[in-house]
Amino acid sequence: MNNKQFPNAGPRLDRLPTSKFHWKIFGIVAIGLLVNWSNAIGGLILAQLSRIGWTTNSISATFTAINTAGMFLGALLGGIIADRIGRRKSYMLFVALHVISMIIGAMSPNMTFLIILRFFMGFALGALITTLFAAYTEYVPSRNRGTWSSRVSFIGNWSYPVCSLIAMAIAPLLSPNMNWRVQLLIPAILAALVFFLVLKAFPESPRWLETQGKYDEANKILDKIEADTEQSTKQSLPAIQEVSHDEEQPSTLPYSALFHGALLKRVILGSAVLIAMNVVQYTLINWLPTIFLAKGINLKDSVFLNTMNMFGAPIGIFITTFIIDKIPRKVLGSSLLIVIAILGYFYSLQTSLMMISVVGFFLIILVYMYVCFASAVYVPEIWPTAAKVRGSGLANAVGRISGIVAPYGVAYCLDNVGVTGVFIMLGATSLIVAVVIMFLGIESRNQSVEEIGEVQEQSAN
């Protein structure tokens, strides 16, 4: 192909059969989500910090909220950075920042210093997660985009049971003061290895290069992908269905376009979807061990129950990989939230260890089905390429605000109302967002990135 030609990246990528290229990109994105687990160990670290007298419910709320504040800013600025410098460079940048903040955080001399570093961990992780989930939709075909995105979420969310198992394994070997430090150093080392993997094997997104007018580079990457695909599948690729374009004006989109027209509606929709996710998911991640303690369960059993429940996370996402491209997005998202609200309230009423274990396990499964829907599939896919990570980042940032406020609501409920009050708060949030999805939701299932991005012109006018 003549490398001076318009790349037609979307049609060329969408027509590719599943090949080694897709599995390579899948592996690199999935491993990045898997090993960067500073957020997943929040509750486990707090349990150890509580034992050495570094924290109280109020301080724990600040610890949790400051991490969410960092993720808020990371999602907001990370989206701008990723749309400016590209997906590959952003991936490496945010991993490097995350590794450095975890290593320095593990050396914290006191809780105040750790809380400060927790902000930087959150910033790097918020930017990384937003970039990876949004950018990944540019590499895979529209016909099974939801399935591929669910698969990376499935692998990534194994971080929760894995880090819980690590916490259980090192608990009898290390003092509480060393335990939480080691829990930070392990993902830092693993994430450092990911940095070099991305440097060696992760290509820039041809769709992003096309929007930047970098046609030569986009064509070189696409030519290699197509050649490798034909070689690995032993099949000739079908003809390219070229789309209309203006070669003199790359498909840029100003940040202000997100604040009016069709894209503003998507910002509101994406923000609401992620508010529900943040309130429910991060409350359970960071507060479940404390909630168990409030129910009279000792610390050892609390850590064990938390570990067992967290195995529901990958199971829920595994289920989602089979249904995500078969059920309309609006139906799936709103239905999950309604069931979560009902089951959460029922869970809060349980008193026996057996029922707490069983109901909690199924609740986590449903929560992570929604997490996969919201963070890995729906919100990342509803934007045009030219503003994909900025749009997703803005929605993530607005959604994170609820994660800053929610910990204080949880602490208040635990101190004054009890566990049931916590789950009433979670249920009310879930039901409100279910209504928003029903009335404001758009259907993006089976639509190409370019079809979804057709709002660009009307939003820019």
Side-chain angles (χ1 to χ4, degrees), residues 246-279:
D246 185 346
E247 294 191 25
E248 301 301 321
Q249 295 183 5
S251 185
T252 58
L253 195 64
Y255 196 79
S256 59
L258 296 171
F259 297 97
H260 57 81
L263 289 181
L264 175 59
K265 177 183 175 181
R266 298 190 184 193
V267 170
I268 295 171
L269 171 65
S271 299
V273 168
L274 293 174
I275 284 172
M277 187 197 79
N278 286 318
V279 170

Side-chain angles (χ1 to χ4, degrees), residues 37-171:
W37 65 55
S38 70
N39 198 47
I41 57 178
L44 297 167
I45 287 177
L46 285 174
Q48 298 298 326
L49 294 172
S50 178
R51 291 182 64 186
I52 62 177
W54 276 29
T55 187
T56 63
N57 279 348
S58 178
I59 296 175
S60 294
T62 300
F63 177 88
T64 303
I66 201 69
N67 181 70
T68 307
M71 296 187 76
F72 162 83
L73 192 60
L76 188 63
L77 298 183
I80 296 172
I81 293 169
D83 277 339
R84 177 65 63 86
I85 70 173
R87 308 343 186 183
R88 180 173 179 271
K89 290 180 181 177
S90 298
Y91 193 166
M92 292 189 292
L93 172 63
F94 301 142
V95 168
L97 289 174
H98 197 217
V99 169
I100 293 169
S101 62
M102 284 190 289
I103 291 174
I104 297 176
M107 302 176 185
S108 298
N110 53 55
M111 192 65 179
T112 300
F113 190 89
L114 178 59
I115 287 175
I116 293 172
L117 266 297
R118 192 66 174 164
F119 173 84
F120 289 102
M121 293 179 212
F123 177 89
L125 187 59
L128 179 65
I129 292 174
T130 300
T131 298
L132 287 186
F133 277 131
Y136 186 61
T137 65
E138 298 174 8
Y139 291 85
V140 292
S142 58
R143 64 180 181 273
N144 55 4
R145 182 177 57 241
T147 300
W148 278 112
S149 295
S150 298
R151 286 170 178 167
V152 296
S153 182
F154 170 70
I155 299 298
N157 277 283
W158 272 99
S159 59
Y160 296 101
V162 167
C163 66
S164 291
L165 285 173
I166 291 173
M168 287 182 62
I170 67 177

Side-chain angles (χ1 to χ4, degrees), residues 176-245:
N177 188 48
M178 283 300 299
N179 183 297
W180 67 267
R181 298 178 192 273
V182 171
Q183 288 192 61
L184 283 172
L185 289 174
I186 291 173
I189 294 170
L190 296 175
L193 299 177
V194 170
F195 176 90
F196 293 103
L197 176 63
V198 176
L199 179 64
K200 180 179 180 180
F202 192 73
E204 183 54 81
S205 164
R207 279 183 161 114
W208 177 80
L209 290 169
E210 184 179 278
T211 66
Q212 302 298 303
K214 299 180 179 180
Y215 298 160
D216 288 359
E217 190 176 349
N219 275 313
K220 288 177 183 178
I221 294 174
L222 287 165
D223 290 345
K224 185 177 188 307
I225 291 171
E226 290 168 340
D228 291 346
T229 299
E230 288 185 329
Q231 182 178 12
S232 64
T233 62
K234 310 299 182 184
Q235 299 176 6
S236 297
L237 298 177
I240 303 169
Q241 296 182 351
E242 296 193 3
V243 295
S244 59
H245 60 275

Side-chain angles (χ1 to χ4, degrees), residues 447-460:
Q447 293 190 41
S448 71
V449 172
E450 287 66 37
E451 289 173 322
I452 295 171
E454 287 178 359
V455 300
Q456 177 175 336
E457 291 185 4
Q458 53 182 298
S459 296

